[in-house]
Amino acid sequence: MSDLTRLTAAELAAKLSASEVSSVEATQAHLDRIAAVDGDVHAFLHVSDHALDVARDIDRRRAAGEQLHELAGVPLAVKDVLVTTDMPSTSGSKILEGYMSPYDATVVARSRAAGLVPLGKTNMDEFAMGSSTEFSAYGPTRNPWDLDRIPGGSGGGSAAAVAAFEAPLALGSDTGGSIRQPAHVTGTVGVKPTYGGVSRYGAIALASSLDQVGPVTRTVLDAGLLHDVIGGHDANDSTSLSDAWPSFAAAAREGATGQVLQGLKVGVVRELDGSGFQSGVTASFRAALSAMEAQGAEIVEISAPHFEYGVAAYYLILPAEASSNLAKFDSVRFGMRVNPQGAATVENVMAATRDAGFGPEVKRRIILGTYALSAGYYDAYYGSAQKVRTLIQQDFEAAFGQVDVIATPSAPTTAFRIGEKIDDPLQMYLNDITTIPANLAGVPGISIPSGLAEEDGLPVGIQFLAPAREDARLYRVGAALEALLVDQWGGPLLDRAPSLTNGASL
Amino acid sequence: MRHLGVLARIQLSDEEVQSLTGQLDAIVDNIAKVSEVATPDVVATSHPIPLENVFRPDVVQQQLTREQVLQNAPDQADGRFRVTAILGEEQ
Amino acid sequence: MAKDALMDFDEALELFEPVLGFEVHVELNTATKMFSAAPNPANEANHGAEPNTLVAPVDMGLPGALPVVNQEAIRSSISLGLALGCSIAPSSRFARKNYFYPDLGKNYQISQYDEPIAFEGSVDVELADGTIVTIPIERAHMEEDAGKLTHMGGSTGRIQGAEYSLVDYNRAGVPLVEIVTKPIFGAEHSAPDLAKAYVATIRDIVRGLGISEAKLERGNLRCDANVSLRPRGQEKLGTRTETKNVNSMRSVERAVRYEIQRQAAILAKGGTITQETRHWHEDTGRTSPGRPKSDADDYRYFPEPDLLPVVPAPELIEELRAALPEPPAARRRRLKAEWSFTDLEFQDVANGGLLDAVAETVAAGASPATARKWWTGEITRVANTQERDAADLVSPANVAALQKLVDAGTLTDKLARQVLEGVIAGEGTPQEVVDSRGLAVVSDDGALIAAIDTALTAQPDVLAKIRDGKVQAAGAVIGAVMKAMRGQADAARVRELVLERAAAL
Ligand SMILES: [Mg+2]
Ligand SMILES: [Zn+2]
């Protein structure tokens, strides 16, 4: 196995800028790894055929003495929800098969500008609707810890790619947990930034008021480095914040010293008391809290009485916005076109195309959303759900009056088996109970590995939440706990994951 | 359900109509749940981070070339997108 | 299409009271679109662009694209709201109006729904007979235009029977302000005239503000006319029809008249009016029903999550209010007094849409009487034969310059008409046409006298008659002189000189 794929992005970046390693070598190592394991993992929907050209150009510029970004030359996996000019963008849907965007998503453009090397597009639940990546139109992604299990969703491809060492960095999007929950089940790090902290321009919209793009990595520092590249104001996104953000990489480095834990007040939500949580998940969560407590953190029980309404509100808001956002897929300007039998009108061409092009979960949510917005129901459905957002924001506000961060298990269970819950959407939806409040309120969240569940040996994540605009706090606290746990474990959690190559060395 | 299919422009099969009809209950359950706390005195939050007056100066910037506009067209003619006959009134 | 039965207009008015309502869409002439930085085809600079060349990702609903509001469109909308006497909402927001149509890239239109930018106003409209009517305005809201469909195959350009359609998204995203009136009562016999006058007033307002090209034939202004009838003495409103996209002032007038006559014929026979949208057919002068759409009334509006509330600063509103031009009706009253026109003369100008032209000609130095004479006379005559707008033929500055040449005696009326023809043909300013065509009056008496002497000598019998006091005989000589001068002489002066020379010779 090539060493280069085992490096963190920060380590690889250091070797690149010291010219110990070339970007071509680093990129080739990851392409080799993809070739070796992605047949099993299926993290990628498309692998770039010119990544090496991009890497070569970075090497040339470096050799010419050009001042490059810290991450220049480091490979990057891009969730297929983000549009790219040089690779197809399908959002995991048949209806967009082969679609080539004439413009790059802002986060992709910023990544390219920093010299990151896009390796390919990662698999996802169709239009980001799901928590398992089983709803991709192109087949499921498998969890590198156990290929029979789901890698989480919707960004299972990005999480699996970094967990399987196919890429050191990946981009994800999080509407109700699609970055954090995959991080939880794959033993990786995922951040959902403050709403508006990262541009949504070029992210194929699921639910506009909930979507956020963020980093998917193996370490907190790497997430901070990538967040620094993609974040900040974008005039193409009206909801983008014009705040001057601190460096999140700097926050992670500062946090790694552990100082931040001294006197840190960590809130634990009384209403997420463990019922419905797998015992190994709860145990790992408690152990992580104890470790923090031992370093001087204070664990404070807080109440968030409206969190329990979050899932219901979420499943009113999301389908409503999604039904409208997905109306553009109509066979007129791009994407699939199906010509039905018999007298064709544009109406029935559209209807036949959307029937054939969308998977069952997408159709289900579009129909539910159409129903929720349909005549007379707006106030009762969408409007009431938006009131719950206000109540959840108030819960956060009250909590952050008492504590610096809130901690929860990132999800109730470890990775379940592929196919296990696919026919039970409501059971699947409950996966998001811990992650959804952050999307409804717009606050940032991070998931980092807290350990393995005793009963199944699968990864568990701990989630920290901070007030809106306080993303840096998450990097400090996350990096502190990460340093503590890696020290306890004697190495990164992912070192314990299977090699995926049946012992064959590359 | 058929009407929802028409509104959403999805030609639903009989099986889909049947299975989806049952699932509308999920929406009804959600609304019942949400209604427990969504009282008239609570204001709605449409954007998680409140902003206002986000505008763009009236200055022409990059637009797409016609080739880019048409590059994914399922069908085209004369520099325009071609669609099957429209049955209906003009908007 | 079956021919509708129509009732005589006067008879219809005896039995029924018409109630009107209008929705006028105004295309703003900002440099860029409502939600994208693509060039705006409703701005003169971009008129006539090739299909699909004025398109940004959001205009055609490309995956991932997002809208951003054009600041200038907000200013224009507030100005228009103020000019309509509306209150400007302290906070307004955009909403999505969801429906599928191939000209709508996102399959939803970003519009305003429950929180429009301007509401509750009124505008004074002057009818052809000079009566002023106050039209109540319900709201003015911002939205985006859709693209353009061209129907191919079947009967030309019609949606019915077309085999396929072509879509151009240049117009998609053009900034619109939709102005909605409240029901208008009491128009009575003037209803068709009022419809026309209302649209003309909106045109004058947006032109005065400079916020739209305001050309109806280009669709910069589009009127939907609602008409209902109720039997005399009935309180309850009748069922209304909405006639869509009537794109000339004459058509608005005709469409309203037609609907009154059509509905009256149905109601008088005990029939009922179907609430529907109808289409105006310019060629036949009739309206026809649109196909009822199953989802037409279920637009599933909800607040646009990609955009934020518009909260205009009070200072901005006051700045725009202070910059408002005079309201059209007030301006008419002022100009009529300033120009000392008779009612008839003023209506001639106003109804011809020549108010601005005359005012600008007067401002350029012509007297009101001569300005009126040119615009309602020769220029209108040429416009009618060329089927163009009088105001598009010649600039007010050139009309004033032309009149200046007449006043100075350089041109006779007849010569001035020839010069005007040259100016309209694009040959330059009046002076340039005079120079290049050599049309100036010959005012050198020497040349005239020589020609007169020649003519008198050649016709001794005429000379004798003149000397005998038969002055009318001079006509023959005058004719010969004018001919010799190729018409470039002032006939009155020639006559004077002929009499002088006849006495002197
Ligand atoms: Mg309307
Ligand atoms: Zn409209």
Side-chain angles (χ1 to χ4, degrees):
Chain A
M1 181 178 297
S2 166
D3 270 342
L4 293 179
T5 63
R6 306 296 291 194
L7 299 175
T8 68
E11 290 163 352
L12 182 56
K15 286 187 186 297
L16 285 163
S17 53
S19 296
E20 286 172 39
V21 170
S22 73
S23 178
V24 167
E25 288 170 307
T27 302
Q28 187 64 59
H30 287 93
L31 291 173
D32 290 346
R33 175 72 179 169
I34 291 169
V37 305
D38 209 53
D40 288 336
V41 178
H42 194 228
F44 285 87
L45 293 178
H46 180 91
V47 178
S48 172
D49 53 15
H50 54 271
L52 287 171
D53 295 337
V54 176
R56 203 167 289 120
D57 190 52
I58 294 293
D59 290 338
R60 181 190 56 74
R61 287 164 60 192
R62 196 188 305 279
E66 201 176 311
Q67 196 61 44
L68 299 175
H69 186 275
E70 187 177 358
L71 288 179
V74 175
L76 170 75
V78 179
K79 188 178 180 182
D80 207 33
V81 75
L82 299 164
V83 299
T84 47
T85 51
D86 58 342
M87 296 180 277
S89 306
T90 70
S91 209
S93 181
K94 278 279 182 240
I95 209 165
L96 271 182
E97 191 161 16
Y99 172 74
M100 292 298 291
S101 174
Y103 74 100
D104 272 330
T106 297
V107 291
V108 171
R110 289 183 179 178
S111 298
R112 291 194 210 276
L116 286 158
V117 180
L119 284 177
K121 304 297 285 289
T122 58
N123 199 8
M124 55 185 285
D125 286 301
E126 183 176 1
F127 290 112
M129 294 181 186
S131 307
S132 65
T133 315
E134 292 168 290
F135 293 122
S136 166
Y138 302 97
T141 295
R142 294 168 182 278
N143 191 322
W145 288 82
D146 177 347
L147 294 174
D148 290 334
R149 292 179 186 264
I150 60 104
S154 65
S158 281
V162 299
F165 299 95
E166 297 174 87
L169 301 172
L171 293 171
S173 69
D174 189 314
T175 303
S178 290
I179 289 175
R180 291 162 288 158
Q181 180 260 8
H184 162 91
V185 294
T186 58
T188 58
V189 174
V191 177
K192 183 204 89 79
T194 296
Y195 184 82
V198 177
S199 171
R200 292 185 295 117
Y201 190 69
I204 299 173
L206 169 55
S208 311
S209 72
L210 301 165
D211 297 344
Q212 254 313 273
V213 176
V216 175
T217 61
R218 290 190 295 264
T219 70
V220 175
L221 173 59
D222 285 359
L225 286 165
L226 185 53
H227 193 161
D228 283 345
V229 169
I230 62 175
H233 183 249
D234 177 15
N236 285 324
D237 175 359
S238 301
T239 60
S240 168
L241 299 174
S242 54
D243 300 44
W245 298 94
S247 163
F248 301 117
R253 288 191 171 107
E254 185 197 321
T257 65
Q259 287 291 311
V260 66
L261 296 178
Q262 189 63 51
L264 182 80
K265 287 190 174 155
V266 180
V268 176
V269 183
R270 183 184 306 142
E271 289 80 5
L272 297 174
D273 61 353
S275 66
F277 286 77
Q278 191 179 317
S279 66
V281 168
T282 304
S284 177
F285 177 62
R286 297 262 173 241
L289 292 179
S290 300
M292 292 173 82
E293 219 170 358
Q295 297 299 311
E298 187 189 337
I299 310 301
V300 180
E301 192 180 73
I302 54 147
S303 175
H306 299 100
F307 276 22
E308 65 165 303
Y309 300 94
V311 174
Y314 179 82
Y315 283 103
L316 293 173
I317 292 169
L318 180 137
E321 293 185 9
S323 70
S324 176
N325 283 332
L326 268 54
K328 62 174 64 76
F329 302 103
D330 65 357
S331 82
V332 174
R333 294 160 304 283
F334 43 77
M336 180 195 274
R337 178 178 290 185
V338 172
N339 287 300
Q341 305 273 308
T345 63
V346 73
E347 288 88 344
N348 51 42
V349 172
M350 285 180 181
T353 300
R354 289 165 63 80
D355 181 46
F358 289 141
E361 179 66 10
V362 173
K363 282 190 246 182
R364 166 169 38 230
R365 297 207 202 180
I366 290 176
I367 291 293
L368 295 184
T370 303
Y371 178 59
L373 287 175
S374 199
Y377 299 125
Y378 160 76
D379 269 341
Y381 287 43
Y382 189 80
S384 296
Q386 291 200 323
K387 291 184 172 188
V388 171
R389 299 182 81 145
T390 308
L391 296 170
I392 287 176
Q393 281 188 335
Q394 288 168 358
D395 283 358
F396 273 117
E397 220 167 285
F400 288 127
Q402 303 168 57
V403 299
D404 301 307
V405 292
I406 293 171
T408 75
S410 298
T413 69
T414 55
F416 49 85
R417 286 203 163 70
I418 290 174
E420 191 181 320
K421 295 186 183 175
I422 199 158
D423 292 325
D424 189 356
L426 290 186
Q427 187 55 40
M428 188 98 85
Y429 293 170
L430 287 177
N431 260 303
D432 309 326
I433 187 162
T434 52
T435 46
I436 277 173
N439 299 84
L440 289 171
V443 306
I446 189 172
S447 176
I448 69 165
S450 62
L452 302 179
E454 301 157 346
E455 60 271 27
D456 55 19
L458 290 168
V460 175
I462 180 170
Q463 172 182 240
F464 294 106
L465 302 169
R469 299 182 156 94
E470 292 296 331
D471 306 46
R473 199 180 293 178
L474 298 180
Y475 284 98
R476 274 194 289 274
V477 173
L481 177 61
E482 179 186 54
L484 207 59
L485 293 176
V486 169
D487 201 46
Q488 264 183 25
W489 299 328
L493 193 66
L494 274 167
D495 283 358
R496 303 190 216 171
S499 74
L500 297 173
T501 51
N502 301 321
S505 71
L506 291 168
Chain B
M1 180 53 62
R2 290 269 175 219
H3 177 61
L4 292 175
V6 170
L7 282 179
R9 284 290 188 282
I10 301 178
Q11 182 193 301
L12 297 170
S13 67
D14 293 344
E15 302 88 81
E16 282 172 325
V17 167
Q18 212 166 20
S19 80
L20 286 170
T21 302
Q23 292 178 29
L24 290 184
D25 293 349
I27 286 281
V28 177
D29 293 347
N30 285 339
I31 181 64
K33 177 86 179 169
V34 156
S35 299
E36 291 171 23
V37 289
T39 48
D41 54 309
V42 181
V43 295
T45 294
S46 54
H47 294 87
I49 310 289
L51 294 173
E52 59 191 32
N53 293 338
V54 178
F55 302 135
R56 164 180 66 75
D58 186 26
V59 177
V60 172
Q61 276 176 4
Q62 88 306 324
Q63 75 261 17
L64 303 170
T65 64
R66 177 140 81 180
E67 289 63 41
Q68 288 177 315
V69 168
L70 293 166
Q71 75 183 26
N72 291 286
D75 195 4
Q76 57 174 294
D78 300 332
R80 287 170 287 179
F81 296 89
R82 184 180 157 135
V83 296
T84 317
I86 297 162
L87 232 189
E89 64 176 294
E90 287 170 274
Q91 298 283 317
Chain C
M1 164 179 22
K3 220 168 181 175
D4 295 313
L6 299 182
M7 182 184 282
D8 172 74
F9 184 72
D10 290 326
E11 198 182 322
L13 264 292
E14 258 167 54
L15 296 173
F16 302 101
E17 180 198 353
V19 180
L20 305 179
F22 302 101
E23 291 169 26
V24 172
H25 286 85
V26 177
E27 286 187 339
L28 301 179
N29 63 356
T30 47
T32 65
K33 294 189 180 181
M34 186 74 226
F35 302 116
S36 86
N40 175 10
N43 178 298
E44 185 64 42
N46 309 311
H47 178 68
E50 288 293 303
N52 290 313
T53 57
L54 307 176
V55 181
V58 76
D59 303 322
M60 60 179 289
L62 283 186
L66 294 171
V68 187
V69 175
N70 181 344
Q71 177 147 37
E72 193 59 31
I74 297 285
R75 290 176 64 98
S76 298
S77 303
I78 293 173
S79 292
L80 180 48
L82 291 171
L84 296 168
C86 288
S87 302
I88 302 303
S91 178
S92 71
R93 61 179 173 176
F94 291 98
R96 291 189 186 176
K97 179 180 183 178
N98 294 285
Y99 65 93
F100 282 83
Y101 214 69
D103 61 6
L104 197 60
K106 305 180 292 295
N107 285 317
Y108 57 82
Q109 179 194 33
I110 305 178
S111 181
Q112 294 191 306
Y113 181 51
D114 51 355
E115 296 182 31
I117 191 157
F119 58 96
E120 294 282 331
S122 69
V123 60
D124 282 353
V125 162
E126 188 174 329
L127 304 182
D129 65 3
T131 316
I132 306 266
V133 179
T134 300
I135 306 287
I137 304 292
E138 164 127 8
R139 58 188 278 157
H141 68 253
M142 298 180 280
E143 60 185 27
E144 58 177 337
D145 211 340
K148 202 167 232 157
L149 281 164
T150 310
H151 306 297
M152 311 295 284
S155 59
T156 43
R158 286 280 175 78
I159 192 165
Q160 291 84 3
E163 287 158 32
Y164 64 97
S165 302
L166 297 176
V167 202
D168 166 18
Y169 291 98
N170 279 354
R171 198 180 62 186
V174 166
L176 296 177
V177 178
E178 179 177 340
I179 304 164
V180 183
T181 67
K182 294 181 179 176
I184 301 161
F185 301 96
E188 300 298 346
H189 279 77
S190 300
D193 181 32
L194 179 139
K196 178 181 160 185
Y198 172 70
V199 176
T201 302
I202 299 295
R203 182 201 56 191
D204 292 348
I205 287 173
V206 299
R207 236 188 224 165
L209 289 167
I211 60 172
S212 172
E213 306 296 341
K215 293 198 163 84
L216 274 80
E217 70 277 12
R218 285 191 192 167
N220 298 145
L221 243 65
R222 305 194 290 265
C223 180
D224 303 342
N226 297 325
V227 177
S228 71
L229 299 182
R230 59 177 171 187
R232 294 280 161 198
Q234 180 182 301
E235 183 79 24
K236 192 169 158 279
L237 289 180
T239 304
R240 69 184 165 83
T241 61
E242 181 176 14
T243 306
K244 289 280 206 189
N245 284 334
V246 196
N247 291 340
S248 81
M249 275 176 314
R250 203 171 92 86
S251 301
V252 173
E253 186 177 18
R254 290 169 72 203
V256 167
R257 176 182 296 271
Y258 183 89
E259 271 303 288
I260 290 173
Q261 292 183 269
R262 186 187 69 85
Q263 292 184 17
I266 293 170
L267 293 171
K269 277 194 183 149
T272 52
I273 304 300
T274 315
Q275 177 154 0
E276 62 188 356
T277 58
R278 297 183 68 86
H279 300 295
W280 169 250
H281 303 279
E282 189 69 53
D283 45 358
T284 57
R286 306 212 293 258
T287 65
S288 72
R291 192 177 75 106
K293 280 176 57 178
S294 52
D295 51 350
D297 290 326
D298 194 351
Y299 290 123
R300 290 158 285 138
Y301 281 100
F302 71 103
E304 167 58 280
D306 288 327
L307 294 173
L308 298 142
V310 177
V311 183
E315 304 82 64
L316 172 69
I317 296 172
E318 289 322 307
E319 175 203 324
L320 295 172
R321 192 194 304 279
L324 287 183
E326 194 178 12
R331 178 164 176 258
R332 283 163 170 249
R333 282 193 292 273
R334 176 176 61 79
L335 291 177
K336 182 162 178 276
E338 278 177 18
W339 293 342
S340 338
F341 286 177
T342 66
D343 287 356
L344 216 62
E345 286 169 344
F346 190 81
Q347 280 161 31
D348 216 17
V349 172
N351 298 341
L354 296 166
L355 223 47
D356 289 337
V358 171
E360 285 167 42
T361 307
V362 170
S367 71
T370 54
R372 179 184 61 76
K373 191 194 69 182
W374 277 116
W375 283 106
T376 61
E378 186 64 8
I379 300 172
T380 295
R381 190 189 65 75
V382 176
N384 288 342
T385 56
Q386 297 192 5
E387 294 187 342
R388 291 170 64 191
D389 257 4
D392 291 344
L393 289 183
V394 51
S395 72
N398 277 341
V399 175
L402 184 66
Q403 182 58 35
K404 213 167 267 174
L405 292 172
V406 174
D407 293 343
T410 310
L411 294 176
T412 61
D413 281 358
K414 189 174 162 224
L415 284 174
R417 283 197 290 276
Q418 289 179 45
V419 172
L420 177 68
E421 180 198 300
V423 173
I424 290 171
E427 293 169 26
T429 64
Q431 188 60 56
E432 285 164 359
V433 175
V434 165
D435 293 345
S436 63
R437 289 197 183 185
L439 288 175
V441 167
V442 176
S443 54
D444 172 5
D445 283 359
L448 285 179
I449 288 166
I452 289 166
D453 287 358
T454 309
L456 285 172
T457 318
Q459 301 178 72
D461 49 330
V462 175
L463 177 60
K465 280 181 187 167
I466 296 171
R467 281 180 177 159
D468 285 352
K470 293 180 177 161
V471 179
Q472 64 273 31
V477 180
I478 294 166
V481 171
M482 290 303 283
K483 198 176 170 191
M485 303 310 293
R486 302 213 318 276
Q488 289 168 250
D490 179 347
R493 180 66 184 147
V494 172
R495 182 183 173 80
E496 258 172 53
L497 287 173
V498 166
L499 298 180
E500 256 177 59
R501 294 308 294 165
L505 280 175

